[in-house]
Amino acid sequence: MNPIIQQLTKHRSIRKFQDQPLPEGLLETLIRAGQCAATSNQVQAYSVIRITDPHKRDRLAELAGGQPYVSAAPEFLVFCADMKRATEAAERAGAEVVRGTSEQLVVASVDTALMAQNVAIAAESEGLGICYIGGIRNNPDGVSELLALPEYVYPVFGMCIGYPAQDPEVKPRLPLESILKQDRYDDSQDQAQVAGFDEAMHRYYQERTGGRKDSTWSKELAPLFTTKLRLHMKAFLEKRGFGLK
Amino acid sequence: MNPIIQQLTKHRSIRKFQDQPLPEGLLETLIRAGQCAATSNQVQAYSVIRITDPHKRDRLAELAGGQPYVSAAPEFLVFCADMKRATEAAERAGAEVVRGTSEQLVVASVDTALMAQNVAIAAESEGLGICYIGGIRNNPDGVSELLALPEYVYPVFGMCIGYPAQDPEVKPRLPLESILKQDRYDDSQDQAQVAGFDEAMHRYYQERTGGRKDSTWSKELAPLFTTKLRLHMKAFLEKRGFGLK
C-alpha cells in the first residue's frame, strides 16, 4: 500500500483540537488543492466561507445543533454549492440561462463534495484533523441568513480543521462485497452482509465503551430516517433555487 | 508542498488509456480506500457497479452521449447513491422509516462523491488516470434499467480508470479569491475575477489549439444552462425515491 492510500485508510473525524493556529498560508494551500479536484464541465460550482468572526462561530455551533467544536476549531469552513457565479457568467456571455433545476442541485452538490474531500485529504497530509459538519443543514435558513448567502447558493456542510488533540480509532466500514457489485445491482447477500457488519459494529461499540454501548449499525441509523429527517430541506432548496425543475 | 498535496494539484482527466489491465486486487484496494472517506452518520449511502460486460460498456458509452472511452477504459465504474441498504437495515432494526426526502438526496449524493474522490486519488497515487463521467445522467432511466438499479438507488456519475496513454495539461481554475470568502458571501469582485479568468482560459485554449479555439470559461458554460440542462432529472429522481419530500 503506497503512502497516499495508507493515509486515506487512516481517516477518522477529529472533534478536539490543539489550541494552535494553522501556519500562515496553509489554509489557502488546502483550498487551492481543493480546487484541483475534478469539476463538472469546469463549472466549479462552489464557494467556501471561512468563519473567523467568533460570534458567527458560536451562532453556527448553535445552528448545527450544539456542536462546540464548530466554535473551538482553529478553522471552520462552510462549503456552499454555488450556481450563482457560473450562471451569471454564462448570462453575461449571452446565454439565455435556465436556473433552478434538479440537475444543477446534483452538479453543484457533487462539485462541492469533490472539492471538499481534496481539502480534507490535503489537511490530513499536513497532520491536521478534520470533521465534516452536516449539522449546518439543521437550520439552513439561519445559516444562509448569517452568511448572507444569495439565491443559487446553499450550504452543503461545514468542516472543522485543526491539529488533533485526540486520537480516535478508525471506524469500521461495510464489507467491500456490500459496496462493490458487478455489471448489475445484486443485493441478494445484503441482509447477511449487514448482519455481519452489525456484529462488527457491536463489538466496536462494546470495546470502546467498556461494554456500556449496546448498539449496531442498523440501530444507530434509525434516527436518520425517523427524527433527523430534515424535512425542511425540500422547501429550503426550492426557495434557494435548487430542484424546482 | 508535500507529495500528497503535490499529487492533488496535478489532476487532469484522462480519456485515452493504455491497453493494460489493473494488477490483480488493485481495484478492490481503490474501493476500500474510497470507503474510508467520511460518511454522514456512517450511513455509507453508496454502491459501485463495476462494468466488465463489454455489451453493457458499449451501451453505457452510448447512453452517456457517445463517449468511446467508457467502452475502452480498462475499468469503468458507475457510482450510485444508495439509500436502499441503510433504510432497509434501519427498518429491520425496528425503525418506522421515512424515505424519499431531499435531505436523503443530498446525503447520498455527497457520500457518493466523497467516496469516489478517494477512489480517484488512490488511483492517481498508483499512476492510473481517471475521468468522471457525468454523461450517465443523460439517460438515467436507461442506465438504471441496464444495471437493474432498484428504487432508492440512482446513478450519480461514472468513472473511467486505467494507465494513461495521454498527458494533457492541468486545466486552470478560478482564482482563489473567487472561491474563498470570509465570514459572509461577498461577490462584489466576482465580475472582475471572472473576467480575469476568462482571459486566462482564452489564452489556454489559444495555446492548446494553435489559435483555433476562440473561447472563454463563460462562453464554454453556456450549453450547461441552455441545451445540456437534463430537465429529466427532477422526474427521474422523484421516480427513484429521491427528493419527493
Side-chain angles (χ1 to χ4, degrees):
Chain A
M1 211 185 280
N2 75 48
I4 297 187
I5 295 183
Q6 226 160 28
Q7 185 201 294
L8 296 177
T9 61
K10 287 191 306 199
H11 165 77
R12 64 274 193 283
S13 290
I14 296 295
R15 294 183 177 85
K16 280 187 186 169
F17 299 97
Q18 296 175 40
D19 187 21
Q20 182 189 339
L22 273 60
E24 185 74 27
L26 180 54
L27 185 77
E28 289 74 10
T29 300
L30 304 182
I31 303 291
R32 278 202 187 89
Q35 290 185 264
C36 295
T39 158
S40 179
N41 290 284
Q42 219 199 356
V43 64
Q44 305 169 75
Y46 42 69
S47 287
V48 181
I49 323 266
R50 176 190 194 184
I51 314 296
T52 59
D53 177 340
H55 300 292
K56 289 197 177 177
R57 284 283 200 102
D58 292 346
R59 181 74 184 124
L60 285 168
E62 229 177 272
L63 289 169
Q67 303 202 44
Y69 28 95
V70 169
S71 289
E75 294 287 350
F76 184 70
L77 305 174
V78 179
F79 286 83
C80 301
D82 187 340
M83 273 294 174
K84 182 175 190 287
R85 182 190 303 111
T87 52
E88 288 183 354
E91 218 157 41
R92 287 194 299 269
E96 278 190 46
V97 158
V98 176
R99 293 182 172 91
T101 69
S102 294
E103 166 67 6
Q104 286 164 13
L105 171 63
V106 170
V107 164
S109 303
V110 167
D111 252 32
T112 304
L114 299 182
M115 193 268 186
Q117 186 58 6
N118 261 23
V119 172
I121 290 163
E124 290 176 343
S125 78
E126 285 287 323
L128 294 157
I130 68 110
C131 183
Y132 280 95
I133 306 293
I136 63 160
R137 296 193 307 276
N138 284 355
N139 190 335
D141 278 309
V143 171
S144 301
E145 199 189 328
L146 188 72
L147 306 182
L149 302 185
E151 224 182 338
Y152 309 114
V153 175
Y154 95 90
V156 190
F157 44 71
M159 188 187 286
C160 300
I161 308 182
Y163 293 101
Q166 62 177 172
D167 187 17
E169 272 174 78
V170 172
K171 249 190 184 168
R173 291 291 190 261
L174 283 161
L176 181 74
E177 309 76 62
S178 288
I179 297 301
L180 182 59
K181 301 168 189 298
Q182 191 165 328
D183 290 324
R184 58 188 294 276
Y185 191 97
D186 173 3
D187 61 353
S188 56
Q189 303 307 309
D190 203 52
Q191 221 166 310
Q193 286 159 350
V194 167
F197 186 58
D198 275 342
E199 274 175 46
M201 283 306 298
H202 185 256
R203 276 196 305 279
Y204 170 86
Y205 289 133
Q206 290 272 305
E207 281 165 19
R208 288 215 336 166
T209 62
R212 284 194 313 281
K213 185 161 178 173
D214 182 25
S215 193
T216 65
W217 182 63
S218 298
K219 284 185 197 165
E220 291 293 305
L221 288 178
L224 272 193
F225 306 116
T226 53
T227 56
K228 285 165 82 179
L229 284 166
R230 295 181 185 141
L231 288 174
H232 54 262
M233 280 301 284
K234 186 178 173 68
F236 168 74
L237 288 170
E238 290 183 348
K239 192 169 64 186
R240 308 310 292 196
F242 286 97
L244 277 163
K245 285 171 209 150
Chain B
M1 214 184 279
N2 75 49
I4 297 186
I5 295 183
Q6 225 160 29
Q7 186 200 294
L8 296 177
T9 61
K10 286 192 305 200
H11 165 76
R12 64 274 194 281
S13 290
I14 296 296
R15 294 183 178 83
K16 280 187 186 168
F17 300 97
Q18 295 175 39
D19 188 20
Q20 182 190 340
L22 273 60
E24 186 74 26
L26 180 54
L27 186 76
E28 289 74 9
T29 301
L30 304 182
I31 304 291
R32 280 202 186 88
Q35 290 186 263
C36 296
T39 157
S40 180
N41 290 285
Q42 219 199 354
V43 65
Q44 305 170 74
Y46 41 69
S47 287
V48 181
I49 325 265
R50 177 190 192 184
I51 313 296
T52 59
D53 177 340
H55 300 292
K56 288 198 177 176
R57 284 284 199 101
D58 290 347
R59 181 74 184 124
L60 284 167
E62 229 177 271
L63 289 170
Q67 303 201 44
Y69 28 96
V70 169
S71 290
E75 296 286 351
F76 184 70
L77 306 174
V78 178
F79 285 83
C80 301
D82 187 338
M83 273 295 174
K84 183 175 189 291
R85 183 190 303 111
T87 52
E88 288 183 354
E91 218 156 40
R92 287 195 298 271
E96 280 190 43
V97 157
V98 176
R99 292 181 172 91
T101 70
S102 294
E103 167 67 5
Q104 287 164 12
L105 171 63
V106 170
V107 163
S109 304
V110 167
D111 252 31
T112 305
L114 299 182
M115 194 267 186
Q117 186 59 7
N118 261 24
V119 172
I121 290 164
E124 290 177 343
S125 79
E126 286 287 324
L128 294 157
I130 67 110
C131 183
Y132 281 94
I133 306 292
I136 64 159
R137 296 193 307 275
N138 284 355
N139 190 336
D141 278 308
V143 171
S144 301
E145 199 188 330
L146 188 71
L147 306 182
L149 302 185
E151 225 184 336
Y152 310 114
V153 175
Y154 94 90
V156 190
F157 44 72
M159 188 188 287
C160 298
I161 308 183
Y163 293 100
Q166 62 177 174
D167 187 17
E169 272 175 77
V170 172
K171 247 189 185 169
R173 291 291 188 259
L174 283 161
L176 180 74
E177 308 76 62
S178 287
I179 297 301
L180 182 59
K181 302 170 189 297
Q182 191 166 330
D183 290 322
R184 58 188 295 276
Y185 191 96
D186 173 3
D187 62 352
S188 56
Q189 303 304 310
D190 202 53
Q191 220 166 311
Q193 285 159 349
V194 167
F197 185 58
D198 275 341
E199 274 176 46
M201 283 306 298
H202 186 257
R203 275 197 305 278
Y204 170 86
Y205 289 131
Q206 290 272 305
E207 281 165 21
R208 288 217 334 169
T209 62
R212 285 194 314 281
K213 184 161 179 173
D214 182 26
S215 191
T216 66
W217 181 64
S218 298
K219 282 185 198 166
E220 290 293 306
L221 289 177
L224 272 193
F225 307 115
T226 53
T227 56
K228 286 164 82 177
L229 284 167
R230 296 182 183 139
L231 289 174
H232 54 263
M233 279 301 284
K234 184 178 175 70
F236 168 74
L237 288 170
E238 291 183 349
K239 192 169 62 184
R240 308 310 292 196
F242 287 98
L244 278 162
K245 288 169 207 151

